[in-house]
Amino acid sequence: MLEPALLETLTGSIPAFEIRKPAFPKIPFVFCSPHSGRGYPVSFLESSRLSAADIRRSEDLFVDILFDFAPAIGAPFQVAHFPRAFLDVNREPYELDPRMFAEALPPFVNTGSVRVAGGLGTIPRIVAEREDIYRNKLSVAEGMDRIERIYKPFHHSLETLIRQTRERFGIAVVVDCHSMPSTVRAMPGGRRPDFVVGDRFGTSAAGVIVSHAIGALSALGYDVMRNKPYAGGYITERYGRPDAGVHVIQIEVNRYLYADERKFEPSRNFMTLREDLLRFAVAFAAAVDGEFNQLAAAE
């Protein structure tokens, strides 16, 4: 297995990501938090034109803590420590903006995606508030180094966890954990949901599994939408193969439920939401287990 690189941060060296494994796998789930990293490399901070606060606008605040119960209920949890502003693993490996680099990019790079045009490629050009991150252009070598040392090991690790889960249980359900700003684009009628469950418009997970996820959240009293305004990114697109027994859903949690977004601090409701997410995960896993057992019996 490829080893994740170390990040040299202000507080010392930390691994780029970690896999928190259960003592014994009990459920056919894999949890992943690719955007909650708070380990900012010193060299990255020095290259940025943004303040230490502004550069954090892209973080999925504390999602790694909200879902840290995963190993206790019998599922592995892969957690990124590198920040999304530094490298976004929920993109193709080579979605890069040529305007960010001092030299020409290799011909295999995808420079024309909608995400690149918006400044949010594999190496983002902007943070969530649409402010440019970098003071100067990057070298192509620097960009490729991040992809080789961190992006590829992250995905190799996630793919391995999914394969092992599928082999053990006959099915794998990946929960890709994210958060969305409280200013998320309003739906018709001004609705801003508490949660959005994305399945790439029905392609990354069986409908019945998605329904169980939405039902478990709704039963706790939350307002849940499906695919709008977030249908899922590269992780759901790449790994979701319902016909092969791999189901991937993306869950977006509205930050107003648990955080002070301006201060980057948990709110008084943080532990309440975390407990609700634990209840959700247990109920969701039980529903999936029941569904899978029924299918197996029918076969």
Side-chain angles (χ1 to χ4, degrees), residues 169-246:
F169 294 99
I171 186 176
V173 178
V174 182
V175 182
D176 192 29
C177 308
H178 296 260
S179 70
M180 57 187 174
S182 59
T183 55
V184 61
R185 184 174 77 252
M187 296 294 100
R191 180 182 176 189
R192 286 189 169 90
D194 299 322
F195 289 89
V196 177
V197 176
D199 65 348
R200 298 295 298 177
F201 302 104
T203 63
S204 69
V208 67
I209 287 179
V210 181
S211 295
H212 283 316
I214 293 172
L217 286 169
S218 299
L220 293 168
Y222 291 105
D223 181 16
V224 188
M225 293 197 70
R226 182 176 181 179
N227 289 319
K228 294 182 179 180
Y230 302 106
Y234 178 69
I235 288 173
T236 51
E237 182 181 358
R238 173 175 174 177
Y239 297 109
R241 296 291 182 269
D243 291 344
V246 179

Side-chain angles (χ1 to χ4, degrees), residues 1-4 17-21 30-32 76-80 150-165 174 238-239:
M1 176 177 165
L2 298 172
E3 292 295 327
F17 64 91
E18 67 173 308
I19 303 116
R20 302 172 185 171
K21 292 187 176 182
V30 175
F31 288 80
C32 180
F77 188 23
Q78 182 158 312
V79 177
I150 300 175
Y151 181 102
K152 289 184 177 180
F154 184 94
H155 277 280
H156 178 78
S157 172
L158 182 58
E159 188 169 12
T160 299
L161 289 175
I162 294 170
R163 176 178 50 78
Q164 291 172 342
T165 301
V174 182
R238 173 175 174 177
Y239 297 109

Side-chain angles (χ1 to χ4, degrees), residues 27 29-32 66-67 69-70 73 173-178 195-198 208-222 224 249-253 272-289:
I27 58 175
F29 278 58
V30 175
F31 288 80
C32 180
L66 285 173
F67 288 88
F69 53 77
I73 64 172
V173 178
V174 182
V175 182
D176 192 29
C177 308
H178 296 260
F195 289 89
V196 177
V197 176
V208 67
I209 287 179
V210 181
S211 295
H212 283 316
I214 293 172
L217 286 169
S218 299
L220 293 168
Y222 291 105
V224 188
I249 62 168
Q250 177 178 287
I251 291 185
E252 295 274 358
V253 187
T272 298
L273 178 64
R274 185 186 175 280
E275 291 166 3
D276 278 350
L277 287 170
L278 172 57
R279 293 188 186 97
F280 151 75
V282 170
F284 181 29
V288 169
D289 182 62

